[in-house]
Amino acid sequence: MEFLPLFHNLRGARVLVVGGGEIALRKSRLLADAGAVLRVVAPEIGTELRELIGSSGGEQILRGYSEADLNGCVLIIAATDDEPLNAQVSADARQRGVPVNVVDAPALCSVIFPAIVDRSPLVIAVSSGGDAPVLARLIRAKMESWIPPTYGHLAGLAARFRHQVKKLLPNVQQRRAFWEEVFQGPIADRQLAGQGAEAERLLQAKIDGEAPPATGEVYLVGAGPGDPDLLTFKALRLMQQADVVLYDRLVAPAILELCRRDADRIYVGKQRAEHALPQDQINQQLVALAKQGKRVVRLKGGDPFIFGRGGEEIEELAANGIPFQVVPGITAASGCAAYAGIPLTHRDYAQSVRFVTGHLKDGTSDLPWKDLVSPAQTLVFYMGLIGLPIICSELIKHGRSADTPAALIQQGTTFNQRVFTGTLANLPQLVAEHEVHAPTLVIVGEVVTLRDKLKWFEGAQAGV
Ligand code: SAH
């Protein structure tokens, strides 16, 4: 090990920064965050750095560096672009036995700055010993996405109960087991979901020896339109914790793959008119699984609250007192539009966008057609393939021009994406010609013409 990682308590301690530019500013910010008192020495100091020095009660010295600047400092940072000067500062600091960091020159450093994930009071530091700082930063970025922003609140929760738990469990092994349960179970879930009071209540109950509630939890998770890269961090995290996953036909296999390996997977998909599992049975199953204490992920294509019947599912959960969370997803309209190069609104073409179900009851025209024909409005039809001939003819009948541009996007955002553009007049014909099948989204409006200029995603080549 080239460097031993230590965490430095700088609160109230004086730190010398030699240099007044961008890099000095970046380092000074970190130092100020840690409560250091800055002494910045440079012939010129940038405005932002001056403000930082002012607000953190430090001092600025507008001249060249001199050895005496080290007096009283517990840490030295050389952040100038003058190499001999940096080397001089390093030598002086080492002479006095004070830790020194020279930016971008590991050989001159006795201490180095790691890449940091800050979830104070929890702080994670990653270092490559100065050999590959970019690598350390990439690892940091991975952790940033993995560790929820509120993770530090868990440490806060533990701090508030530490003494009580220590009194209750004098044995260190028992204590470790206790905290492991807390950090990996429903108490942590509550805290991370922003329900701090409930987390405290459950933790107190656990300390008081009350049996933990047997109820699990249901996460209603939007899986996005297909490309696994469009999942949210939160969706992925909950998918990785699940005991059971209930999923739809619309959820891509590549996304299902990302769920915890040993989670039970239950297919509850629905096909148009042919329901694999009626909605009320899905609702009941969610309740039953949660009552067994399971963490249940209900994975839905796109966004659970957009034509996803998510509302009905959580109504049932709420009625049964089952805790739940809803994680929004990228809805098919956003995903398909972006990957097809069709902005849903545009200052020249569309001032509003409307998401409409194309699933017509009894095959009749039961949509508010008059509201749908305004020219400056983009229409997005979900589930519109079967009813497409009716949709197109009704729009034309109610006054939208037969020349209005329109697009079909099949399996949008996936590598099988196919896009066909035409007009209200010939769209149904395109479906037959190219054997377009579900899931397909229909976009109607002038914005469709922008695709020629803005398309960037290839998907399948066929017919594009
Ligand atoms: N909750 C989902 C929509 C469910 S309704 C969401 O927010 O996206 C199902 C309809 O969504 C399909 O009939 C189709 O019109 C549309 N859809 C979903 N994913 C799609 C995709 N990847 N490509 C094209 N259309 C899609």
Side-chain angles (χ1 to χ4, degrees), residues 214-218 285-294 296 322:
T215 337
E217 185 167 12
V218 176
Q285 195 165 10
L286 290 174
V287 171
L289 287 164
K291 281 194 170 158
Q292 293 164 21
K294 301 228 160 87
V296 186
I322 310 275

Side-chain angles (χ1 to χ4, degrees), residues 284-312:
Q284 282 162 22
Q285 195 165 10
L286 290 174
V287 171
L289 287 164
K291 281 194 170 158
Q292 293 164 21
K294 301 228 160 87
R295 296 193 207 190
V296 186
V297 162
R298 172 70 176 105
L299 205 53
K300 295 200 154 256
D303 182 280
F305 278 2
I306 294 181
F307 304 127
R309 304 189 72 170
E312 294 164 48

Side-chain angles (χ1 to χ4, degrees), residues 224-226 249-250 300-308 329-333 336 381-385 409-414 438-442:
R249 186 175 53 94
L250 272 180
K300 295 200 154 256
D303 182 280
F305 278 2
I306 294 181
F307 304 127
I330 291 184
T331 189
C336 295
F381 288 95
Y382 287 70
M383 300 168 279
L385 212 46
I409 304 162
Q410 178 186 317
Q411 286 174 280
T413 78
T414 72
T440 289
L441 200 76
V442 181

